[in-house]
Structure formats: C-alpha cells, structure tokens
Amino acid sequence: MLYADKHALRTRLKVSLLVIRHRELQFYTKNCIAIGTNALFLASFAWWGLTEPAFDELGGDMVQTVYLVITAMIMALELLATVTSTLVAILGPALAIRGPDGAMHTAVDCMVSHYRFTFVCFALGLVFFQLSVISFMHMQYTPEISGPISVAVIIGTLYMLTSSWRIYSLLKLRAQTMVTGDFAGGPDEIADSMALPPHELTRMAAAQAELQSRAKIELQGRDAPQPSRGRSWLGRARAS
C-alpha cells in the first residue's frame, strides 16, 4: 500500500513538473515564430537590395562593394535566424511530446540556448540594415544629398539602440533571480524529500490496518446467519 501511494505521488509530481515546463515550451515556441517571421521580412528586403538596383549606373566600385557586402550580411544573418527559429519551433515541441522520459527538460533547455542565438542574429541584422541604407544613399545620390540622409539614419539608429537597451535593462531577468520550470533533482528525489518521516508512516500504516480489521469484522457480522423469529417464539412457548 505504501509503495503504491509513493508511486502515485511520483506520477502526480511528474505530471505537475511537465505542466510547468510546458508553459516554458509554449513561451519559447511563440517567440521563435515571431522572430523568424520578422527575420524573413528583412531577408526579403536584403534580397531585393541585391538583385533590383542597377549597379552599373550607380556610385563607384568601392561604394557598390560595401553596399553588396553589408546587404549580403543582412540576408545571411536573417536567414540564419529564420532557419534556426523554424527548426527550434518545430523540433523542440516534437521532442518534448514524443520523446522518452526527460525529453521535455532537454527540449526546453535546447530551445533557451538557440532562442538567444536567434535573437542576437536578428539584432545584428537590424544594425546592418541601417548601414545598408546609408551605403545605398551614397551610391544613389550625390554627397550633398546623401550626407544629411546618412546623418538622419545614424541618429535614428542610435535612438533605436539606446531605446532598445533601456527597455532591455528594465525588463532583463538576472540569472540569480530567474525562475524556471526545472527542479533540482529528478521526480524520485523530490518525492522522497516530500515523503513523511518513518514513524509517521508506521503510525499511518497501523491506523489503516486497524480500520481494515474493523471493517472486516463488521462485514463478517453482517454476513452471519440470523436466528428465525418464528423458532425463537416456539422455543419460548415450549419452555413456558
């Protein structure tokens, strides 16, 4: 009986742990899908910038080379972010749902690391996108026109970076205060730590055995044959 109760405790504890980790799984899956979608848009813009402009009629060789290199870096970074986030969003839940025991924890931990890598690639692609705009302005227009445009783009980029850093600093989770769905030790160790002391278990076992013996005695008393009322009246009449 105690073994069955302990096994049931472990099973319920495993289910509770999986429910908590499943929230993390959904969180990182949605974020990866969002990053991958936006990264794909930027990669499309970079592809247009590599194929559409008439480079023979614009700028010098140095400016064109800088523009092409920066734009190619945008497409590479954003495609890397798109592919990584897509694979994480597809393979992570598949491993968590169909994998063996402990696969949920492995999937979530892997998604956390690749989610950070995907975010860094996406952020670098945004910075290179601004640099590509500046180089395109120098390739498209004269210095008198491209100069003020470049200054405006630089100011906007600096404001974007400072605003993003401020938001990140306010909402950043510190490593020492971060709460995850992972627990120290497996479900068996946690169940053992939650178990009652030995004397309490002995007392509960004795009480349960006593209740079972009383119930057995009551059932035996109910099943015992009762004397007939007619025979008892006849016996009293003869005795009198």
Side-chain angles (χ1 to χ4, degrees):
M1 185 65 182
L2 294 178
Y3 176 79
D5 292 339
K6 195 172 183 180
H7 182 71
L9 174 62
R10 289 195 180 99
T11 303
R12 292 193 299 268
L13 186 58
K14 285 184 178 180
V15 173
S16 300
L17 294 178
L18 290 178
V19 169
I20 296 175
R21 294 295 271 180
H22 185 258
R23 295 181 181 178
E24 288 187 291
L25 183 74
Q26 290 181 329
F27 170 77
Y28 289 113
T29 301
K30 292 179 181 179
N31 287 347
C32 287
I33 293 175
I35 292 177
T37 302
N38 294 314
L40 183 60
F41 281 125
L42 290 179
S44 302
F45 295 153
W47 172 253
W48 179 89
L50 290 174
T51 57
E52 291 300 324
F55 296 102
D56 295 337
E57 304 174 359
L58 302 176
D61 294 338
M62 180 60 69
V63 178
Q64 291 182 5
T65 302
V66 172
Y67 170 77
L68 290 174
V69 170
I70 294 176
T71 308
M73 287 293 297
I74 297 171
M75 189 176 67
L77 288 171
E78 299 303 337
L79 285 178
L80 180 60
T82 301
V83 172
T84 304
S85 61
T86 302
L87 291 176
V88 169
I90 293 176
L91 299 180
L95 175 62
I97 295 174
R98 300 183 177 181
D101 188 17
M104 174 70 77
H105 305 288
T106 303
V108 173
D109 294 338
C110 181
M111 292 179 70
V112 170
S113 60
H114 287 83
Y115 166 76
R116 295 172 180 171
F117 173 75
T118 303
F119 180 77
V120 171
C121 292
F122 176 74
L124 289 177
L126 285 177
V127 175
F128 277 103
F129 185 82
Q130 306 299 327
L131 297 177
S132 176
V133 172
I134 294 174
S135 60
F136 183 80
M137 291 298 104
H138 284 279
M139 187 177 62
Q140 181 74 33
Y141 303 104
T142 60
E144 290 79 9
I145 300 176
S146 61
I149 297 176
S150 300
V151 172
V153 173
I154 292 173
I155 293 175
T157 303
L158 293 176
Y159 182 78
M160 179 189 70
L161 293 176
T162 54
S163 178
S164 300
W165 181 255
R166 183 175 66 253
I167 296 173
Y168 177 76
S169 301
L170 293 174
L171 301 179
K172 179 183 178 181
L173 287 174
R174 301 296 187 270
Q176 59 272 17
T177 59
M178 183 181 298
V179 179
T180 64
D182 194 10
F183 286 82
D188 294 340
E189 290 81 359
I190 300 174
D192 293 336
S193 64
M194 295 174 62
L196 295 174
H199 65 277
E200 291 290 338
L201 294 176
T202 304
R203 184 182 63 81
M204 292 178 61
Q208 187 173 6
E210 184 179 357
L211 290 176
Q212 291 179 352
S213 62
R214 290 181 180 178
K216 186 176 181 180
I217 293 173
E218 291 180 359
L219 290 176
Q220 291 177 354
R222 293 177 182 177
D223 296 337
Q226 300 293 334
S228 175
R229 294 183 177 179
R231 292 181 180 177
S232 60
W233 176 81
L234 182 59
R236 289 196 300 269
R238 290 178 178 177
S240 60

